[in-house]
Amino acid sequence: METFAALGHGVVVALQPMNLLFAFAGVMLGTAVGVLPGIGPALTVALLLPITFKLDPAGSLIMFAGIYYGGMYGGSTASILLNTPGESASIVTALEGNKMARAGRGGPALATSAIGSFVAGTIATIGLALVAPTVVDVAISFGPEDYFALMILAFTTVSAAFGSSVTRGLTSLFIGLALGLVGIDLQSGQARLSFGIPDLLDGVEVTTLAVALFAIGETLSVAAAGLRAEEVIEPVKGSVFMNREDWRRSWWPWLRGTALGFPIGAMPAGGAEIPTFLSYALEKRLCRKPDEFGNGAIEGVAGPEAANNAAAAGVLVPLLTLGLPTSATAAIMLAGFQQYGLNPGPLLFTSNPDLVWGLIASLFIANGMLLVLNLPLVGLWVRLLAIPRPWLYGGILVFATLGTLGANPSLVELGMLLIFGLLGYVLRRYDYPIAPVVVGLILGPLSEQQLRRALAISVGDPIVLFQSPIALTLYALSALALFGPLIFYLITGHRAPVGADED
């Protein structure tokens, strides 16, 4: 009952006029940027992060929730009409959705995507509200050594989940950890890696790093790729609404996709890719007309889209309750919390309950807004798809630069934006993942703080790190994440699918 009372209070917070306005602005901005070709939710959230810098924390995070869900919806529109997934989780949607669009059924494909996203998002958000307090109750009993082990688990799972190999993921992680050392040591007061530059004494801004790696790096990568074949946008023909047969064939895929997406998304390194592919395979097996798969089966859009959006809500479980980002988008959302001095975790539920439950309640509102607004505005999103790539990415460069300067007006900040943007391009060029760099910068200082706290309590005895059963369990999971692919290879003789593209 306490959960429902807290959620009810959160609804009151979310329904305040200014918060409704922030949610509406987030939904519109998230969809408008997310629908652009090749741009996924991670880049959408990174690009719009500086906009929220001057807002109050509650309004900013509610706007962030709208941007997050809007970016997910926009990505599915680009996948269906343009066959250009903005992220790996949208690849499955493009398989059947674009075939439906070519057959003149783009409207029903967009409708089942939007309604499925609403159904899955609503059910998964209820799951988030019910599961989060239980996880918080467990996490409150954590000591500093347990938190340090939890950070190690976050490092290993994110490194293993992204990129083409664990080694590449760890390399990116250590770049982020090195950047996390920049600034003043909070215990000794000594400057570290500041090179005599006063602007670096406060450390590297997560906002600057995220925008540079995702927005600037992606722009340079697209420019370096040169000319591409002209992309064909499939027009939306006929009604955007589904007929009775479409409804009958979509209901169960929506529910099955939700059942797959939420629990897998809530796991460390679960992500949205696995449930979308599982959902597609399941629907293909259960479909009464399996010959339609590959030619535009509506089940192949409804199930994976529901799984994708349910996983998006599932990702918020470890983020809000433990402070663990398990996806690139979650890492940038964590940066959004930290720009207000807020650290997601069990204490956030007791120190800022209005903010947390208002954020969870705003997910319901953002879901409803997306459903009501986006189907009638399909024509507008189709026009955005026609923006030429040079204009699009030139606009991203300008927007990213002005947004960063607005948040931190400094030539040093501008120089770091350029340097980190070049770093993002180099990482993409040589197939190194981006998300572990951001995670390393955010969680590196926190893990150092917990390690020092544990050693201070034990008067410098490192054995304390291995005495807690919780810590030992987390270390075992970390080892499994790191060496799981190797064990899989030794047993089967085949390489395990180590990770996925986080963009």
Side-chain angles (χ1 to χ4, degrees), residues 296-324:
I298 195 168
E299 294 91 342
V301 178
E305 266 304 296
N308 189 12
N309 281 271
V315 161
L316 296 177
V317 174
L319 177 66
L320 292 176
T321 59
L322 301 173
L324 290 186

Side-chain angles (χ1 to χ4, degrees), residues 27 31 66 69-70 73 114 365-375:
V27 163
T31 308
Y69 272 23
Y73 179 88
I365 295 170
N367 245 329
M369 285 181 174
L370 279 169
L371 184 65
V372 172
L373 291 174
N374 282 320
L375 284 179

Side-chain angles (χ1 to χ4, degrees), residues 7 69 115-131 251-263 306 309-311 313-314 317 360 363-364 367:
L7 184 59
Y69 272 23
I115 299 169
S117 298
F118 172 76
V119 171
T122 302
I123 296 173
T125 304
I126 293 172
L128 167 64
L130 295 175
V131 170
W251 262 111
W252 282 110
W254 290 338
L255 297 177
R256 285 191 291 262
T258 304
L260 285 170
F262 180 72
N309 281 271
V317 174
I360 293 174
L363 296 176
F364 291 104
N367 245 329

